[in-house]
Each structure stands twice: as C-alpha cells, then as structure tokens.
Amino acid sequence: MSRTCTSLLTTVLLASALVLASGHAAFAKVLTGHARLATRVHVNVLRARTSGDPASNRQLSAASNQACSADQLGGACQQAVLADINAARASEGIAPMILPGNYSSLTTPQQLLVVANLERIGRGLIPAQGLSGSLNLIATVAALADVDPHPSNIAGDAVSANWAGGTPSPLLADFMWMYDDGPGSMNLDCTYNNTSGCWGHRHDTLFPFDAPLVMGAAYAPSTQDGPSLAELFVGGDTAAVIGGVDAVLAPTWATISQDLQFALSATSLVLSHGAGSGQLQISASARGMTVSAQVTSGSWQVSPSSCTLAPGQSCALTVTGPSGSKGALTLIGPGGVETVPLASQAPTSLHMSLAGSLVRGHLTASGGSALAGQLITLYKRVSGRTSVVSRARTGGGGGVSFHVSPHAGAAYGLSFAGSTTLTPASTAPVQGHASRRKHHR
C-alpha cells in the first residue's frame, strides 16, 4: 500500500528548509510504500509494467505554486497543475490529459476516478469501470483516519491503494503520486540509501490489473491532516457484476468518458516565412473517437479530412494555404466542435535610404506590390545599444519617412514586426553623418 502525507501546514512547518533547498512545492510531503497485492488466484507480481518510472522527479511550476497557494480548488490552480501534468506526460511521449467537459461538476471521488483512468489509458492500460459503493466505504474509512485503504477481503486477484492528506485536489495529488515520487522527492519511503519505496504511488496507479477493474474513492474535507483523499483499485473483481457487492455506481466510466473531447497541439496555426503548409496534432486522451476536419473559411486545404483515433492515439493534419491569406479550420468530434484560425505569412522586403537628416523606407510584398498602412519602426544604434527613435505607418505606395538629427557614431535602421499574413522584415543599420554648418563672417 502507499501512503501520501500532504498536510500543507505540517509540510510548511517541518519541511520548509527542504522546500528551499530542493525547490519542491510546499504542497506535499510524500510517504510512499509499495503496491499491496492480495491474491485469490495466481498473480505474477513481476509482470512487466507498460510504463517505466520517470528518469527523475518533476516539480510544480511557479505558476502552479502561486495559483495553488491561493486556492487549491480554484480554476487557476487546476489549469496550472493540469499543464504541469501534461508537460510531464509529453516528456514520456504520452498524449495530453484532457478532462471531460463536466469535470468540475463531478464529485471529488468521481474526479479521482477520472484522473486515474486518464493516466492508465494514456499508457495502454485498462480503465476502472467505475466506483463501487462497497469500495467507496472502505476508502471513506481510510480518508477519515488519514491512512491507506486496507480492505480485509477482496473479490479480485490484486489490490493497491493511495492516500493523500492536506490537499482537496485530485490533480495535485496525481502530480505528486505520478511525477514527484522518486529519489530526491519528498517521498519519505524513497531515499538514496533505500530506493525500494520509490515511485510506489505511480506503481499503484499503473499496475497492470486484470479486468474487471473497479475503484473505491473518498474525500474527507477535514481531518487531522486537513483535507484527505483516498483511492483503491481492485483488479479481476468477480463481484463487480450487476447485483454483486462491488457493482459500480452511476455514472460509470462509460458514461463519464462520453464527455471527453479531443486535444489540439495549438489553438491557431500560422504558416510563417512563406511556408506553404503546416501540421496540427489531434489527440484522443482516453476514448476512441473519430474527428472530422473541414475548412470553413478561406482557400485552404486539409488532409486527411478525418482521423479515427484509439485512446491515447494522435493524428497529424496537414494544412495548406495560399501565401498572405487567412482561413479557418473546423474540427468536429464526439465531445464538441472547435474552430482553429489559420493564417499564412507572405514574404516582405523592407528597403531604406539615409540622406542627410531624412530616412526613407519602402515596404513591399513578394512580387513587389506596395504594402500600405503597416507600422514601421525607426531604431538607432550607438555603441552597441539599440533604441527606438520613432514609429510611422506606410503610405499608399508603401513608403515611410522620418527626420533625424544624425551624429557621428550613430547608425539608423528600420524594422517591420510582421503580422499574421506578413513576415517580419528589417534593414541593416546605416551610419549617419553629422551635418556640417557653414559659418559666415
């Protein structure tokens, strides 16, 4: 069994020095053991797991530390921690975790089910069919006592369990269990002298259980260690059938997963520097789905026009568009519709001349057509330092002019920042010369 102690107050008081020294967040002090396997039939404890342990621990980002210090259940904290989880998953080559649209309306035990299943399915493991009332009761007793669930008897062939105290957030608990549980973490059962307890929570979550797999989960909002979360997994559970003692409750995973949407690698696509095509990745986090893709604006093309994805699988869409144009791509999946703005940048050229105190510029697109109404920046470079002198927009013929007071040692140049349909452009700095005044006697 695994034990996670994440009492915020206890951690801050007793482990503040460790936090400062290691950079770990003050949300969790993790005490981890091994998955406990209770066997009714033969189970090969040493069978290979489909996902190995990470090479090293990950830490919560500064964004998560800041947001979660204010409110661990707030939207900012949840989004930041989910981003940290997905960064960790990406480092393992796992598709992003996409929460169902109704995640925030689910109960905390149901959220524990969702997060655990998304971690399992992303690695090719079977999901838990749902939460069992009898197993929920065992988890509740454990959560109230700040201990791991410890069933005295199970109807399956293997069981494991996790506990977390001091956080009400299943996402925060998941990050600690899955990605910050190895050597060098605050997992007190994982030391450099004894690594036998390292990654114990991760092993509990990702054990290759036999089907049917069911879960029990519970949340106690106020215990000796603060908020308390508990979960247990029972694999090969023969009592999970309808009418059985471990029958799953509604909503089952089959129902919850219907709300899962696909993930996109980007919310917009810009083909930069005149590129003719680009790619957009679509991922299915935890359910099989077919996603169709169609151009709904502009003279663009997309291939393929649909992707049929297995859970955890990704598909690359190739999008092609004419230079200097905009468009829109609409993606339709079982969880909803999403529109991706498209743009292709046309190459630009910027020319400059400096004559006396007059700087002239001319901005054109590929083919030499003038670009009007574009903002041009005049900069000055003196002794290696660059500063902005002025800005102005091009006229109808693509031209722009500035008046300067040149002096020895100053060089002037122009730059164009570009736009969604135009590439950036700039000129090399040109040395200015101080004007000579004629003195009359």
Side-chain angles (χ1 to χ4, degrees), residues 22-247:
S22 68
H24 282 271
F27 294 110
K29 179 169 63 179
V30 182
L31 306 174
T32 308
H34 302 290
R36 173 183 176 272
L37 297 176
T39 59
R40 295 176 63 85
V41 296
H42 178 69
V43 176
N44 181 6
V45 178
L46 299 179
R47 64 180 142 177
R49 291 180 169 85
T50 59
S51 175
D53 296 335
S56 61
N57 297 298
R58 297 186 71 92
Q59 299 174 14
L60 287 172
S61 64
S64 290
N65 279 309
Q66 181 176 2
C68 298
S69 293
D71 181 4
Q72 293 186 31
L73 290 180
C77 173
Q78 299 299 287
Q79 292 175 12
V81 174
L82 182 60
D84 288 348
I85 290 172
N86 282 335
R89 288 166 66 101
S91 71
E92 299 178 27
I94 307 298
M97 177 185 290
I98 309 301
L99 299 176
N102 65 343
Y103 178 81
S104 61
S105 66
L106 298 176
T107 66
T108 301
Q110 290 166 351
Q111 290 179 350
L112 285 167
L113 167 71
V114 167
V115 173
N117 273 349
L118 293 179
E119 293 288 20
R120 290 183 58 81
I121 293 173
R123 294 164 175 84
L125 298 167
I126 62 169
Q129 294 181 353
L131 297 177
S132 158
S134 58
L135 299 182
N136 284 350
L137 180 59
I138 296 171
T140 299
V141 172
L144 290 170
D146 294 326
V147 296
D148 291 298
H150 196 292
S152 58
N153 186 36
I154 62 169
D157 56 30
V159 59
S160 69
N162 291 322
W163 172 79
T167 178
S169 167
L171 286 174
L172 264 171
D174 179 68
F175 184 88
M176 300 301 172
W177 289 337
M178 290 288 297
Y179 306 108
D180 190 14
D181 201 42
S185 71
M186 286 181 283
N187 176 351
L188 299 185
D189 276 359
C190 175
T191 67
Y192 290 107
N193 294 326
N194 181 10
T195 60
S196 62
C198 297
W199 301 109
H201 294 93
R202 183 182 176 95
H203 298 167
D204 289 349
T205 302
L206 300 183
F207 188 80
F209 294 102
D210 293 325
L213 172 63
V214 293
M215 277 184 66
Y219 167 54
S222 180
T223 69
Q224 182 177 348
D225 285 311
S228 181
L229 301 172
E231 64 181 16
L232 74 154
F233 305 84
V234 177
D237 193 335
T238 58
V241 296
I242 297 176
V245 66
D246 291 341

Side-chain angles (χ1 to χ4, degrees), residues 102-422:
N102 65 343
Y103 178 81
S104 61
S105 66
L106 298 176
T107 66
T108 301
Q110 290 166 351
Q111 290 179 350
L112 285 167
L113 167 71
V114 167
V115 173
N117 273 349
L118 293 179
E119 293 288 20
R120 290 183 58 81
I121 293 173
R123 294 164 175 84
L125 298 167
I126 62 169
Q129 294 181 353
L131 297 177
S132 158
S134 58
L135 299 182
N136 284 350
L137 180 59
I138 296 171
T140 299
V141 172
L144 290 170
D146 294 326
V147 296
D148 291 298
H150 196 292
S152 58
N153 186 36
I154 62 169
D157 56 30
V159 59
S160 69
N162 291 322
W163 172 79
T167 178
S169 167
L171 286 174
L172 264 171
D174 179 68
F175 184 88
M176 300 301 172
W177 289 337
M178 290 288 297
Y179 306 108
D180 190 14
D181 201 42
S185 71
M186 286 181 283
N187 176 351
L188 299 185
D189 276 359
C190 175
T191 67
Y192 290 107
N193 294 326
N194 181 10
T195 60
S196 62
C198 297
W199 301 109
H201 294 93
R202 183 182 176 95
H203 298 167
D204 289 349
T205 302
L206 300 183
F207 188 80
F209 294 102
D210 293 325
L213 172 63
V214 293
M215 277 184 66
Y219 167 54
S222 180
T223 69
Q224 182 177 348
D225 285 311
S228 181
L229 301 172
E231 64 181 16
L232 74 154
F233 305 84
V234 177
D237 193 335
T238 58
V241 296
I242 297 176
V245 66
D246 291 341
V248 295
L249 305 171
T252 64
W253 174 246
T255 299
I256 294 174
S257 64
Q258 294 303 310
D259 250 355
L260 288 169
Q261 178 60 295
F262 53 85
L264 291 176
S265 58
T267 56
S268 63
L269 180 64
V270 176
L271 307 182
S272 60
H273 303 292
S277 64
Q279 285 196 335
L280 188 70
Q281 289 283 131
I282 305 176
S283 301
S285 179
R287 62 170 295 195
M289 61 179 64
T290 296
V291 180
S292 64
Q294 57 184 11
V295 173
T296 51
S297 174
S299 300
W300 290 66
Q301 295 180 333
V302 59
S303 179
S305 59
S306 68
C307 293
T308 298
L309 304 172
Q313 196 175 50
S314 297
C315 170
L317 298 178
T318 299
V319 183
T320 305
S323 179
S325 69
K326 293 183 179 181
L329 178 69
T330 298
L331 302 168
I332 305 171
V337 177
E338 188 158 350
T339 299
V340 179
L342 306 172
S344 176
Q345 292 180 317
T348 61
S349 297
L350 182 60
H351 303 278
M352 187 194 88
S353 64
L354 172 59
S357 63
L358 184 63
V359 177
R360 294 181 183 274
H362 190 230
L363 183 67
T364 60
S366 57
S369 57
L371 294 172
Q374 304 302 318
L375 188 64
I376 305 298
T377 298
L378 171 68
Y379 66 89
K380 179 173 66 175
R381 184 171 297 169
V382 179
S383 300
R385 295 185 176 182
T386 302
S387 59
V388 173
V389 178
S390 184
R391 291 185 174 91
R393 292 193 178 275
T394 55
V400 66
S401 61
F402 301 91
H403 288 278
V404 297
S405 300
H407 59 84
Y412 296 89
L414 298 176
S415 66
F416 170 56
S419 67
T420 55
T421 56
L422 297 171

